[in-house]
């Protein structure tokens, strides 16, 4: 197991899922695009400062970033989903997306 490569893949996945380019994410993390690329490719490991910024930018907990198998119990998932929904601050556009997504899953 190559922890640098696994963590790099996870960061890349989070970046893409959140719609960030490498340029934008590197700007938010206050690192160069080249440094971010090296991290995503598993060539370099992140510093503790960059780690803290990643958690902040993606609004995730440390366990979520390093989890390789993040299966959670349904009750815990419901709590986490509700917590995330509350953070949307009544953003009707994002709430509508969540509504439509959950509605489509029920069908």
């Amino acid at each position: 197991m190559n922890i640098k490569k696994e963590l790099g893949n996870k960061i890349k996945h989070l970046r893409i899922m959140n719609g960030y380019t490498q340029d934008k994410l590197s700007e938010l993390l206050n690192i160069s695009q080249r440094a971010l690329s090296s991290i995503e490719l598993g060539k370099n490991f992140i510093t503790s400062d960059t780690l803290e910024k990643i958690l902040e930018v993606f609004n995730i907990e440390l366990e979520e970033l390093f989890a390789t198998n993040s299966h959670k119990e349904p009750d815990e998932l419901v709590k986490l989903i509700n917590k995330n929904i509350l953070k949307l601050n009544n953003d009707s556009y994002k709430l509508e997306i969540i509504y439509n997504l959950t509605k489509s899953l029920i069908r």
Side-chain angles (χ1 to χ4, degrees):
M1 171 202 316
N2 183 334
I3 191 165
K4 288 191 296 187
K5 192 160 190 79
E6 284 190 37
L7 183 58
N9 285 333
K10 183 79 174 247
I11 292 168
K12 180 178 181 178
H13 176 76
L14 287 167
R15 176 179 60 77
I16 292 169
M17 293 300 294
N18 283 274
Y20 293 129
T21 63
Q22 278 190 340
D23 285 334
K24 180 61 179 174
L25 182 57
S26 62
E27 180 183 315
L28 292 170
L29 299 176
N30 197 27
I31 60 174
S32 70
Q33 185 273 330
R34 179 179 235 157
L36 177 58
S37 178
S38 291
I39 291 167
E40 287 185 355
L41 292 171
K43 294 180 180 179
N44 291 329
F45 202 71
I46 55 177
T47 65
S48 59
D49 288 340
T50 302
L51 174 59
E52 288 178 0
K53 289 176 189 170
I54 286 171
L55 298 177
E56 183 180 313
V57 166
F58 293 124
N59 191 29
I60 59 173
E61 300 294 325
L62 187 63
E63 308 79 49
E64 294 174 83
L65 183 61
F66 285 98
T68 56
N69 186 358
S70 60
H71 295 288
K72 294 180 178 19
E73 293 299 318
D75 289 346
E76 184 178 355
L77 285 171
V78 169
K79 287 178 188 175
L80 291 171
I81 290 167
N82 287 330
K83 179 181 169 186
N84 287 340
I85 289 172
L86 290 173
K87 291 178 183 177
L88 293 177
N89 295 321
N90 297 318
D91 182 327
S92 60
Y93 177 74
K94 290 179 182 176
L95 289 169
E96 182 102 11
I97 291 171
I98 292 171
Y99 169 75
N100 288 328
L101 175 64
T102 58
K103 186 176 166 185
S104 70
L105 291 172
I106 294 171
R107 291 184 185 165

